[in-house]
Amino acid sequence: MAAVLTLVAGQALAVTSIKNTKHDLSSTSTGATNVKSSNYEEICIFCHTPHKAVDQLNAPLWNRSGTDSISISRYYNSATLDTASRQTAVSAKIAVSDVKLCLSCHDGASLTNGLANPSNLEGGAQPAGLVELGSVAATVPANIGTDLHDDHPIGMVYNTIYSNNTAEWVQNPVASIKFYDGGVMWCSSCHDVHDNTAAPFLATSNVASGLCLSCHKK
């Protein structure tokens, strides 16, 4: 009973945090303006379903179709990039990270993919009113496409980078930064999709570059 109550409480907190944010794509949302449903009042259904979920890696009860076919066209690169962060070292780790889950909305093309399990409240019909992010505007910050060369690198093992740098430009991160699968940096290392307390959905506040300085020290 205690475990059930804990789970329900956690779900309630998630809904409370996401409601009326840009991640709330329901028809009643006041946070999502250009991209939201015209008839679905449910909030969680645009990513999750309790039944008939897609078997998607790292996605609990995933409800978005076409996610697995998303691929990254270009990776971050720099002359000063640590060897452990280059494409040859990180591409395999990125492929099994959460990046495809994020890009299923943020690639500017996949948002209109159907839900695996549409709402029974709407007779099992797909949600109306959702538009492709790219059709809103290519310059909208939420539309990052599949070209990640101009975005913070992911897929690298943080401890490897830390041990490779004796200079004090990188330090052990604070507890708010999460690493996965043996210390790998994912999108959700810096972002919490269910909580916009530190906008835009950051794991911790970036006031005075607080989030950046959790890892970087110059």
Side-chain angles (χ1 to χ4, degrees):
M1 179 65 74
V4 171
L5 290 174
T6 300
L7 175 61
V8 171
Q11 292 173 332
L13 287 172
V15 173
T16 301
S17 298
I18 197 176
K19 185 174 176 59
N20 291 326
T21 69
K22 291 185 182 298
H23 282 176
D24 176 3
L25 305 184
S26 68
S27 59
T28 60
S29 173
T30 59
T33 52
N34 294 319
V35 181
K36 68 177 184 178
S37 173
S38 63
N39 60 331
Y40 268 40
E41 293 185 3
E42 296 177 62
I43 297 175
C44 304
I45 196 169
F46 298 99
C47 288
H48 304 289
T49 178
H51 305 291
K52 300 181 181 178
V54 176
D55 185 12
Q56 184 69 42
L57 190 66
N58 299 314
L61 298 174
W62 194 241
N63 198 28
R64 301 193 61 80
S65 61
T67 302
D68 199 47
S69 63
I70 297 172
S71 61
I72 299 172
S73 59
R74 192 156 53 140
Y75 294 79
Y76 180 88
N77 192 23
S78 168
T80 60
L81 195 63
D82 193 281
T83 301
S85 300
R86 296 191 180 279
Q87 179 176 344
T88 53
V90 302
S91 57
K93 293 185 181 298
I94 290 176
V96 294
S97 74
D98 61 351
V99 67
K100 291 184 179 182
L101 310 183
C102 301
L103 291 181
S104 68
C105 281
H106 290 282
D107 69 353
S110 298
L111 187 60
T112 52
N113 285 348
L115 301 182
N117 186 25
S119 174
N120 288 330
L121 295 176
E122 299 299 331
Q126 293 291 339
L130 289 179
V131 295
E132 186 177 313
L133 276 175
S135 67
V136 177
T139 56
V140 171
N143 183 348
I144 65 175
T146 57
D147 182 349
L148 304 185
H149 85 281
D150 55 354
D151 300 284
H152 191 287
I154 58 174
M156 63 283 194
V157 179
Y158 180 83
N159 286 339
T160 300
I161 298 172
Y162 179 72
S163 62
N164 287 347
N165 288 275
T166 55
E168 291 187 352
W169 71 272
V170 66
Q171 62 181 358
N172 284 317
V174 296
S176 59
I177 307 300
K178 303 178 182 67
F179 295 98
Y180 304 86
D181 190 25
V184 183
M185 186 171 201
W186 289 8
C187 301
S188 49
S189 292
C190 290
H191 293 283
D192 185 339
V193 298
H194 295 124
D195 190 349
N196 197 34
T197 302
F201 298 96
L202 298 178
T204 190
S205 171
N206 201 33
V207 172
S209 298
L211 176 61
C212 303
L213 294 175
S214 295
C215 290
H216 297 274
K217 180 180 179 182
K218 285 183 175 255

